[in-house]
Amino acid sequence: ECINLAPKVFAYNDQKLAIAEIEAETTAKVAEEEIMSKERLRAAYASGDAEAARKVDEEIRGEIARLRERGESRKQKVRRGE
């Protein structure tokens, strides 16, 4: 029985590693987006145009949400074994 369980254990460990990699990549992409967009957001607020600043902030939040959704989607695929 132990021999029959071994492939499942290895598959589970592979899934855990793949999910950890996806989480690390997603975290890095979100951090990169936050850093890259910080200056854009500062400039929008500095311009005094509240509507433009709000729009830039929404765009940044949307991009970060998309990055996180992509990461979650990738993790779900790994969990399903795709």
Side-chain angles (χ1 to χ4, degrees):
E1 285 185 27
C2 290
I3 294 171
N4 291 338
L5 293 177
K8 291 180 184 179
V9 171
F10 287 127
Y12 177 73
N13 287 335
D14 288 345
Q15 284 181 337
K16 284 177 59 176
L17 288 172
I19 289 170
E21 285 181 27
I22 292 167
E23 288 175 347
E25 288 174 12
T26 301
T27 300
K29 287 179 182 179
V30 167
E32 180 181 21
E33 178 64 28
E34 289 173 342
I35 291 167
M36 301 272 295
S37 60
K38 191 178 282 188
E39 186 57 39
R40 216 174 57 162
L41 189 57
R42 280 187 197 154
Y45 279 112
S47 73
D49 186 351
E51 183 61 27
R54 185 192 60 75
K55 186 176 178 181
V56 168
D57 188 48
E58 281 181 16
E59 289 172 2
I60 293 166
R61 290 176 190 268
E63 181 58 29
I64 289 171
R66 280 188 290 280
L67 290 169
R68 288 185 174 140
E69 285 174 17
R70 280 187 221 135
E72 286 302 315
S73 176
R74 289 177 58 207
K75 288 192 302 188
Q76 288 300 324
K77 286 181 181 180
V78 169
R79 289 182 183 116
R80 291 189 303 257
E82 295 178 9

